[in-house]
Amino acid sequence: MKRKLEVIYIAPARYDDDGYVHRYWRGVVPSNSLSCLRSITQSVAANGELGEDVEVNVTTYDDCVERPPIKRIIRMHKRGKAQVLVGFVGVQSNQFMRASDLALELRAAGVPVMIGGFHVSGMLAMFDEPSLDLQRLLDQGVTLVKGEVEGPGVMASILRDAVALELKPIYNITEWPDLAKAMVPKPDPNYLKKFLLPGLATLDTSRGCPFRCSFCTIINVQGKRMRCRSADAILKSIEENWDAGVRDYFFTDDNLSRSHVWEEVFDGLKEMAERGKKIVFMMQVDTQAYRIPNFVDKAQAAGCHMVFVGMETVNPKNVEATGKNQNDTETYAKMVQTWHDAHVRVHVGYIIGLPHDTTESIREDVETLRNHVLVDEASFFMLTPLPGSEDHRNMVQNGIPIDADLNNLDSNHETFRHPNFKPGEWRAAYYEAWNAFYSKEHILHILIRAPRSEYWGLFWTSLWYRWATVFVHTHPMGTGLFRLKDRKSRRPIFPRESVWRYAWRRLGDVWWGAKVYAQLFIEFQEIWMLSRKPDDPRWATLAELRMQWAEMQLRISQSSIAGRCDVAAQEMHTMLSAASNKLQTLAGSGKDIGGRTSRKLRGMAQDAEAYLKSFEKQVPTRASIAKAHDYISQNIVAGYEELAIRYVAKRRKFNQYRQELLEWLRSGRAVGRSLLLIPRMVMVEFLLAVRFIFTALRQSV
């Protein structure tokens, strides 16, 4: 009679600040660890490594997109028809408390449980003894797994122990497996359907990193030497997945540009595309990858549409302080332009709270990132001493207090006292950076300068990032579509809310969400209106004005921070003069823009010239510069937008009317003419919305 082993892998989520699990109807990025463990276990079972009398069934759950059936697992264990083993996989430090809570609930019912991932591996790699949080689990019979299980016989050995009910307290896997001989994990199509892009899969083609960044856990968990999968195995897997409908990849390698097989893989992907099996992918690389001969060109030919670059900072002092000496801040703009020339978007990782950061320096650095380096997307992270990093070990050994709540180690909380910030200021500067980068103004600049082939991809990404960061205050890669805030899935240290109190909370969430979605719809409708026709002279002029204004703002900001109001004033004078001349030129173009528009442009130019003469007589001060800044922004840039693109003027007019109407309703004064305008507003809003939706859907399909 065959013995049955039910292996259940769970990728845990994390808790929010109210104790509720971050779970969504649709996620963003599937768990690569879940795919790896599922494939390895199925391979061990298929190869008969557990013996012919053992039948293995593998089930996976992603806590981020579905509720793990803990009670059903306990019932399965108690029935005794199969040996049950639950493994929590890929557990990051900020997910560890959620994984621990579920593990202890299972252990209380006698279910065998294992936990692996970066937190366990990092802590056991950097310290001689288990930490208190790990010892707490060991005391309750939870098994800890340190290291990677792809090595010959490793997973089979663990599973045999599980079948025999002889799991060890700790599996200390000290040898990194040869990935060239390891199987390539196969994505589960049913699992991928739980994400926004069901054709997107993750794949690690290599592991490790040759660099020595002090804040990084990769080098201590996966090693400083690059280990790569076989190029032939990678390509074979990708082609098989293509036939199953997987056409989009996130290569999760920490630094694919240092992989020994990148060229073989890229050449193979290009050959696949030539046979009609083209994929697109994003990858993680370092700032110097663009210098590798042929790397950028071959990446583009292989289907790369985005690179995630570990830039971390634009401050040379911070580069030195973190040991990231491979970064050269002077070449960032050139690096970004090289990728742009290949029509590849650049997404940078940026750390807020490095040793030389202050509130003012962060503002200046973000302005540099926006208007000088010209990256397309940015992900900001608060400096966090992650277990497994050199920073964490040094702080522990030096007795520097670190937030004891591992749930806060999500790069979104102040986890230690930064000498340059008072409590709360650091996090405020972090949110300010997100708000500045994903402001309406800057998103418009990104889309105006984007090549048409990347426009809609950037459009939807910018919308998603603005929603997640500015409104939800969650990293976009760690969120999802439509929050599923389960009343019973709350952290044990929080009280469970009553049905009525919980219902009231959720009603508030839904109302708030509806308002945010409406605001975003209106904002991005206007952004689309302003950026949708780059070849039309009106839009081309707008793009020129806006890009000049962005570059000028950077120089003005740098001058003002340095205390050089005279230099900032000269920059403002140059912008006012250039804008006045440009408007005069446009006004003289006659029939191309129409007589009415020409007269208005001439009036705007005369007003700008008059303001310029007045500005020349003023003593340069911060106040006069700020006033001139507002004049250019509101009267010249916004004024031209409303004059040249009539739908924008209508959009803004109704935005203002809607705000006034709300104020009138609150005060009880919404009578007469104000109410008569509502039908017209609704009709225009409807027509604008239909036009926007139709275009967006048609271009995105």
Side-chain angles (χ1 to χ4, degrees), residues 511-551:
W511 174 242
W512 176 84
K515 290 193 296 183
V516 169
Y517 294 149
Q519 180 178 338
L520 284 170
F521 182 84
I522 292 170
E523 286 180 353
F524 277 80
Q525 188 185 108
E526 183 176 319
I527 288 171
W528 167 71
M529 290 175 179
L530 291 168
S531 60
R532 66 194 180 96
K533 289 186 178 180
D535 299 327
D536 187 298
R538 292 174 296 167
W539 273 268
T541 299
L542 172 59
E544 183 182 345
L545 271 176
R546 279 199 164 273
M547 296 314 297
Q548 287 179 349
W549 182 221
E551 293 167 6

Short mmCIF file of all heavy atoms in Angstrom, two decimals, residues 511-551:
data_model
loop_
_atom_site.label_atom_id
_atom_site.label_comp_id
_atom_site.label_asym_id
_atom_site.label_seq_id
_atom_site.Cartn_x
_atom_site.Cartn_y
_atom_site.Cartn_z
N TRP A 511 -15.43 53.69 -0.11
CA TRP A 511 -15.74 55.08 -0.46
C TRP A 511 -14.46 55.84 -0.80
O TRP A 511 -14.40 56.56 -1.79
CB TRP A 511 -16.49 55.75 0.68
CG TRP A 511 -16.72 57.22 0.49
CD1 TRP A 511 -16.26 58.24 1.25
CD2 TRP A 511 -17.48 57.84 -0.56
NE1 TRP A 511 -16.66 59.45 0.75
CE2 TRP A 511 -17.42 59.24 -0.36
CE3 TRP A 511 -18.21 57.35 -1.65
CZ2 TRP A 511 -18.05 60.14 -1.19
CZ3 TRP A 511 -18.83 58.26 -2.50
CH2 TRP A 511 -18.75 59.63 -2.26
N TRP A 512 -13.44 55.65 0.04
CA TRP A 512 -12.16 56.31 -0.22
C TRP A 512 -11.58 55.84 -1.56
O TRP A 512 -11.10 56.65 -2.36
CB TRP A 512 -11.18 55.99 0.91
CG TRP A 512 -9.80 56.53 0.69
CD1 TRP A 512 -9.35 57.78 0.97
CD2 TRP A 512 -8.69 55.83 0.10
NE1 TRP A 512 -8.03 57.91 0.60
CE2 TRP A 512 -7.61 56.73 0.07
CE3 TRP A 512 -8.52 54.54 -0.39
CZ2 TRP A 512 -6.36 56.35 -0.44
CZ3 TRP A 512 -7.28 54.18 -0.90
CH2 TRP A 512 -6.22 55.08 -0.91
N GLY A 513 -11.64 54.52 -1.80
CA GLY A 513 -11.12 53.98 -3.05
C GLY A 513 -11.84 54.53 -4.26
O GLY A 513 -11.21 54.85 -5.28
N ALA A 514 -13.17 54.67 -4.17
CA ALA A 514 -13.95 55.20 -5.29
C ALA A 514 -13.52 56.63 -5.62
O ALA A 514 -13.39 57.00 -6.79
CB ALA A 514 -15.43 55.14 -4.97
N LYS A 515 -13.28 57.43 -4.58
CA LYS A 515 -12.84 58.82 -4.80
C LYS A 515 -11.46 58.87 -5.44
O LYS A 515 -11.21 59.68 -6.35
CB LYS A 515 -12.84 59.58 -3.47
CG LYS A 515 -14.23 59.84 -2.91
CD LYS A 515 -14.19 60.85 -1.76
CE LYS A 515 -13.41 60.33 -0.59
NZ LYS A 515 -13.44 61.28 0.55
N VAL A 516 -10.57 58.00 -4.98
CA VAL A 516 -9.21 57.97 -5.54
C VAL A 516 -9.24 57.53 -7.00
O VAL A 516 -8.58 58.13 -7.85
CB VAL A 516 -8.31 57.03 -4.71
CG1 VAL A 516 -6.99 56.78 -5.43
CG2 VAL A 516 -8.04 57.63 -3.34
N TYR A 517 -10.01 56.48 -7.30
CA TYR A 517 -10.10 56.00 -8.68
C TYR A 517 -10.66 57.09 -9.60
O TYR A 517 -10.19 57.27 -10.73
CB TYR A 517 -10.98 54.75 -8.78
CG TYR A 517 -10.40 53.54 -8.08
CD1 TYR A 517 -11.23 52.58 -7.51
CD2 TYR A 517 -9.03 53.35 -7.98
CE1 TYR A 517 -10.72 51.46 -6.87
CE2 TYR A 517 -8.49 52.25 -7.34
CZ TYR A 517 -9.35 51.30 -6.79
OH TYR A 517 -8.83 50.20 -6.15
N ALA A 518 -11.66 57.83 -9.10
CA ALA A 518 -12.25 58.90 -9.91
C ALA A 518 -11.21 60.01 -10.15
O ALA A 518 -11.09 60.53 -11.27
CB ALA A 518 -13.48 59.47 -9.21
N GLN A 519 -10.46 60.35 -9.09
CA GLN A 519 -9.44 61.40 -9.23
C GLN A 519 -8.37 60.98 -10.23
O GLN A 519 -7.96 61.78 -11.08
CB GLN A 519 -8.80 61.69 -7.88
CG GLN A 519 -7.70 62.76 -7.94
CD GLN A 519 -7.11 63.08 -6.59
OE1 GLN A 519 -7.73 62.83 -5.54
NE2 GLN A 519 -5.90 63.61 -6.58
N LEU A 520 -7.92 59.73 -10.12
CA LEU A 520 -6.89 59.25 -11.04
C LEU A 520 -7.40 59.22 -12.48
O LEU A 520 -6.67 59.55 -13.42
CB LEU A 520 -6.44 57.85 -10.63
CG LEU A 520 -5.51 57.76 -9.43
CD1 LEU A 520 -5.34 56.31 -8.99
CD2 LEU A 520 -4.15 58.38 -9.74
N PHE A 521 -8.65 58.83 -12.66
CA PHE A 521 -9.23 58.79 -14.01
C PHE A 521 -9.20 60.18 -14.63
O PHE A 521 -8.81 60.35 -15.80
CB PHE A 521 -10.66 58.27 -13.94
CG PHE A 521 -11.32 58.13 -15.28
CD1 PHE A 521 -11.12 57.01 -16.06
CD2 PHE A 521 -12.13 59.14 -15.77
CE1 PHE A 521 -11.72 56.88 -17.31
CE2 PHE A 521 -12.73 59.04 -17.02
CZ PHE A 521 -12.52 57.89 -17.79
N ILE A 522 -9.58 61.18 -13.86
CA ILE A 522 -9.61 62.55 -14.38
C ILE A 522 -8.19 63.07 -14.62
O ILE A 522 -7.90 63.70 -15.64
CB ILE A 522 -10.37 63.47 -13.40
CG1 ILE A 522 -11.86 63.09 -13.41
CG2 ILE A 522 -10.18 64.93 -13.77
CD1 ILE A 522 -12.66 63.76 -12.31
N GLU A 523 -7.28 62.80 -13.67
CA GLU A 523 -5.90 63.25 -13.83
C GLU A 523 -5.25 62.67 -15.08
O GLU A 523 -4.63 63.40 -15.87
CB GLU A 523 -5.07 62.84 -12.61
CG GLU A 523 -5.33 63.64 -11.36
CD GLU A 523 -4.46 63.17 -10.20
OE1 GLU A 523 -3.77 62.15 -10.34
OE2 GLU A 523 -4.48 63.83 -9.15
N PHE A 524 -5.40 61.37 -15.28
CA PHE A 524 -4.72 60.74 -16.41
C PHE A 524 -5.43 60.99 -17.72
O PHE A 524 -4.82 60.89 -18.80
CB PHE A 524 -4.52 59.25 -16.13
CG PHE A 524 -3.29 59.00 -15.30
CD1 PHE A 524 -3.32 59.19 -13.93
CD2 PHE A 524 -2.10 58.65 -15.89
CE1 PHE A 524 -2.19 58.99 -13.16
CE2 PHE A 524 -0.95 58.45 -15.14
CZ PHE A 524 -1.00 58.63 -13.76
N GLN A 525 -6.68 61.33 -17.66
CA GLN A 525 -7.36 61.79 -18.87
C GLN A 525 -6.71 63.09 -19.34
O GLN A 525 -6.43 63.26 -20.54
CB GLN A 525 -8.84 62.00 -18.56
CG GLN A 525 -9.70 62.30 -19.77
CD GLN A 525 -11.12 62.62 -19.35
OE1 GLN A 525 -11.54 63.76 -19.42
NE2 GLN A 525 -11.84 61.62 -18.87
N GLU A 526 -6.44 63.99 -18.42
CA GLU A 526 -5.78 65.26 -18.78
C GLU A 526 -4.35 65.02 -19.23
O GLU A 526 -3.88 65.63 -20.20
CB GLU A 526 -5.80 66.21 -17.58
CG GLU A 526 -5.20 67.57 -17.89
CD GLU A 526 -5.31 68.54 -16.73
OE1 GLU A 526 -6.37 68.57 -16.07
OE2 GLU A 526 -4.33 69.26 -16.48
N ILE A 527 -3.63 64.13 -18.54
CA ILE A 527 -2.26 63.81 -18.94
C ILE A 527 -2.24 63.27 -20.37
O ILE A 527 -1.38 63.63 -21.18
CB ILE A 527 -1.65 62.78 -17.95
CG1 ILE A 527 -1.35 63.46 -16.61
CG2 ILE A 527 -0.38 62.16 -18.52
CD1 ILE A 527 -0.95 62.50 -15.51
N TRP A 528 -3.20 62.40 -20.68
CA TRP A 528 -3.30 61.86 -22.03
C TRP A 528 -3.55 62.97 -23.05
O TRP A 528 -2.94 63.01 -24.12
CB TRP A 528 -4.40 60.81 -22.07
CG TRP A 528 -4.81 60.40 -23.46
CD1 TRP A 528 -4.09 59.66 -24.34
CD2 TRP A 528 -6.03 60.74 -24.12
NE1 TRP A 528 -4.79 59.49 -25.51
CE2 TRP A 528 -5.99 60.14 -25.40
CE3 TRP A 528 -7.17 61.46 -23.74
CZ2 TRP A 528 -7.03 60.27 -26.31
CZ3 TRP A 528 -8.21 61.58 -24.64
CH2 TRP A 528 -8.12 61.00 -25.91
N MET A 529 -4.45 63.89 -22.73
CA MET A 529 -4.75 64.99 -23.64
C MET A 529 -3.51 65.81 -23.97
O MET A 529 -3.33 66.28 -25.09
CB MET A 529 -5.81 65.90 -23.02
CG MET A 529 -7.19 65.32 -22.93
SD MET A 529 -8.29 66.47 -22.05
CE MET A 529 -9.83 65.57 -22.08
N LEU A 530 -2.64 65.96 -22.95
CA LEU A 530 -1.47 66.82 -23.12
C LEU A 530 -0.28 66.12 -23.78
O LEU A 530 0.67 66.78 -24.18
CB LEU A 530 -1.03 67.37 -21.76
CG LEU A 530 -1.98 68.38 -21.10
CD1 LEU A 530 -1.59 68.61 -19.65
CD2 LEU A 530 -1.96 69.69 -21.88
N SER A 531 -0.32 64.80 -23.87
CA SER A 531 0.87 64.08 -24.35
C SER A 531 0.61 63.16 -25.53
O SER A 531 1.52 62.49 -26.00
CB SER A 531 1.45 63.24 -23.20
OG SER A 531 0.49 62.29 -22.73
N ARG A 532 -0.60 63.16 -26.08
CA ARG A 532 -0.99 62.09 -27.00
C ARG A 532 -0.57 62.31 -28.45
O ARG A 532 -0.55 61.35 -29.22
CB ARG A 532 -2.50 61.89 -26.94
CG ARG A 532 -3.32 63.05 -27.45
CD ARG A 532 -4.79 62.92 -27.05
NE ARG A 532 -5.58 64.03 -27.52
CZ ARG A 532 -6.29 64.03 -28.64
NH1 ARG A 532 -6.28 62.95 -29.40
NH2 ARG A 532 -7.00 65.07 -29.00
N LYS A 533 -0.25 63.53 -28.87
CA LYS A 533 0.06 63.78 -30.28
C LYS A 533 1.41 64.48 -30.44
O LYS A 533 1.46 65.68 -30.68
CB LYS A 533 -1.04 64.63 -30.93
CG LYS A 533 -2.36 63.92 -31.13
CD LYS A 533 -3.31 64.81 -31.91
CE LYS A 533 -4.63 64.11 -32.18
NZ LYS A 533 -5.56 64.98 -32.94
N PRO A 534 2.52 63.75 -30.30
CA PRO A 534 3.83 64.40 -30.32
C PRO A 534 4.20 65.01 -31.67
O PRO A 534 5.05 65.91 -31.73
CB PRO A 534 4.78 63.23 -29.98
CG PRO A 534 4.05 62.01 -30.45
CD PRO A 534 2.60 62.30 -30.18
N ASP A 535 3.58 64.55 -32.76
CA ASP A 535 3.94 65.05 -34.09
C ASP A 535 3.17 66.31 -34.48
O ASP A 535 3.54 66.99 -35.43
CB ASP A 535 3.71 63.96 -35.14
CG ASP A 535 4.57 62.73 -34.87
OD1 ASP A 535 5.68 62.91 -34.35
OD2 ASP A 535 4.11 61.62 -35.16
N ASP A 536 2.09 66.61 -33.78
CA ASP A 536 1.32 67.82 -34.05
C ASP A 536 2.11 69.03 -33.54
O ASP A 536 2.66 69.01 -32.44
CB ASP A 536 -0.03 67.72 -33.32
CG ASP A 536 -0.95 68.86 -33.68
OD1 ASP A 536 -0.59 70.02 -33.40
OD2 ASP A 536 -2.04 68.59 -34.21
N PRO A 537 2.20 70.12 -34.33
CA PRO A 537 2.98 71.29 -33.91
C PRO A 537 2.56 71.84 -32.54
O PRO A 537 3.41 72.31 -31.77
CB PRO A 537 2.70 72.32 -35.02
CG PRO A 537 2.37 71.49 -36.21
CD PRO A 537 1.66 70.28 -35.68
N ARG A 538 1.26 71.79 -32.23
CA ARG A 538 0.81 72.30 -30.93
C ARG A 538 1.40 71.47 -29.79
O ARG A 538 1.87 72.01 -28.80
CB ARG A 538 -0.71 72.29 -30.86
CG ARG A 538 -1.39 73.28 -31.80
CD ARG A 538 -2.89 73.10 -31.77
NE ARG A 538 -3.27 71.78 -32.29
CZ ARG A 538 -4.49 71.26 -32.15
NH1 ARG A 538 -5.42 71.92 -31.50
NH2 ARG A 538 -4.77 70.08 -32.66
N TRP A 539 1.35 70.15 -29.94
CA TRP A 539 1.90 69.28 -28.90
C TRP A 539 3.43 69.36 -28.87
O TRP A 539 4.04 69.27 -27.81
CB TRP A 539 1.45 67.84 -29.13
CG TRP A 539 0.13 67.54 -28.52
CD1 TRP A 539 -0.11 67.03 -27.28
CD2 TRP A 539 -1.16 67.72 -29.12
NE1 TRP A 539 -1.47 66.89 -27.07
CE2 TRP A 539 -2.14 67.30 -28.19
CE3 TRP A 539 -1.60 68.20 -30.35
CZ2 TRP A 539 -3.50 67.34 -28.44
CZ3 TRP A 539 -2.95 68.24 -30.62
CH2 TRP A 539 -3.89 67.82 -29.67
N ALA A 540 4.05 69.52 -30.04
CA ALA A 540 5.51 69.63 -30.10
C ALA A 540 5.98 70.87 -29.35
O ALA A 540 6.98 70.84 -28.62
CB ALA A 540 5.98 69.66 -31.55
N THR A 541 5.25 71.97 -29.52
CA THR A 541 5.60 73.20 -28.81
C THR A 541 5.43 73.02 -27.31
O THR A 541 6.26 73.46 -26.51
CB THR A 541 4.71 74.36 -29.30
OG1 THR A 541 4.94 74.56 -30.69
CG2 THR A 541 5.02 75.64 -28.53
N LEU A 542 4.33 72.37 -26.94
CA LEU A 542 4.10 72.11 -25.52
C LEU A 542 5.23 71.26 -24.94
O LEU A 542 5.73 71.54 -23.85
CB LEU A 542 2.77 71.38 -25.34
CG LEU A 542 2.46 70.86 -23.93
CD1 LEU A 542 2.48 71.99 -22.93
CD2 LEU A 542 1.14 70.12 -23.91
N ALA A 543 5.65 70.23 -25.67
CA ALA A 543 6.73 69.37 -25.20
C ALA A 543 8.01 70.18 -25.02
O ALA A 543 8.72 70.03 -24.02
CB ALA A 543 6.96 68.23 -26.18
N GLU A 544 8.29 71.06 -25.99
CA GLU A 544 9.49 71.89 -25.91
C GLU A 544 9.44 72.81 -24.70
O GLU A 544 10.41 72.94 -23.95
CB GLU A 544 9.64 72.71 -27.20
CG GLU A 544 10.90 73.55 -27.26
CD GLU A 544 10.98 74.36 -28.54
OE1 GLU A 544 10.21 74.07 -29.48
OE2 GLU A 544 11.79 75.29 -28.58
N LEU A 545 8.29 73.46 -24.50
CA LEU A 545 8.13 74.34 -23.34
C LEU A 545 8.33 73.58 -22.03
O LEU A 545 9.04 74.04 -21.13
CB LEU A 545 6.73 74.97 -23.35
CG LEU A 545 6.52 76.28 -24.09
CD1 LEU A 545 5.04 76.66 -24.05
CD2 LEU A 545 7.37 77.39 -23.50
N ARG A 546 7.70 72.45 -21.94
CA ARG A 546 7.75 71.68 -20.69
C ARG A 546 9.17 71.15 -20.42
O ARG A 546 9.61 71.15 -19.28
CB ARG A 546 6.74 70.54 -20.72
CG ARG A 546 5.33 71.00 -20.38
CD ARG A 546 4.45 69.85 -19.97
NE ARG A 546 3.24 70.33 -19.30
CZ ARG A 546 3.15 70.56 -18.01
NH1 ARG A 546 4.21 70.39 -17.23
NH2 ARG A 546 2.03 70.99 -17.47
N MET A 547 9.86 70.66 -21.43
CA MET A 547 11.19 70.14 -21.21
C MET A 547 12.17 71.26 -20.84
O MET A 547 13.02 71.09 -19.97
CB MET A 547 11.69 69.39 -22.46
CG MET A 547 10.86 68.14 -22.80
SD MET A 547 10.50 67.08 -21.37
CE MET A 547 12.14 66.58 -20.89
N GLN A 548 12.03 72.42 -21.49
CA GLN A 548 12.86 73.56 -21.11
C GLN A 548 12.58 73.97 -19.67
O GLN A 548 13.50 74.29 -18.90
CB GLN A 548 12.59 74.74 -22.05
CG GLN A 548 13.16 74.60 -23.44
CD GLN A 548 12.83 75.80 -24.31
OE1 GLN A 548 12.01 76.65 -23.95
NE2 GLN A 548 13.47 75.87 -25.47
N TRP A 549 11.30 73.93 -19.31
CA TRP A 549 10.90 74.33 -17.97
C TRP A 549 11.44 73.34 -16.93
O TRP A 549 11.92 73.72 -15.86
CB TRP A 549 9.39 74.42 -17.90
CG TRP A 549 8.79 74.86 -16.59
CD1 TRP A 549 7.68 74.36 -16.01
CD2 TRP A 549 9.24 75.91 -15.74
NE1 TRP A 549 7.41 75.01 -14.83
CE2 TRP A 549 8.35 75.98 -14.64
CE3 TRP A 549 10.31 76.81 -15.77
CZ2 TRP A 549 8.51 76.89 -13.60
CZ3 TRP A 549 10.46 77.72 -14.74
CH2 TRP A 549 9.57 77.75 -13.68
N ALA A 550 11.42 72.05 -17.24
CA ALA A 550 11.94 71.03 -16.33
C ALA A 550 13.45 71.21 -16.11
O ALA A 550 13.94 71.16 -14.97
CB ALA A 550 11.65 69.63 -16.87
N GLU A 551 14.19 71.42 -17.20
CA GLU A 551 15.64 71.63 -17.09
C GLU A 551 15.95 72.90 -16.31
O GLU A 551 16.87 72.93 -15.48
CB GLU A 551 16.25 71.71 -18.49
CG GLU A 551 16.17 70.40 -19.26
CD GLU A 551 16.50 70.58 -20.73
OE1 GLU A 551 16.89 71.71 -21.11
OE2 GLU A 551 16.37 69.60 -21.49
#
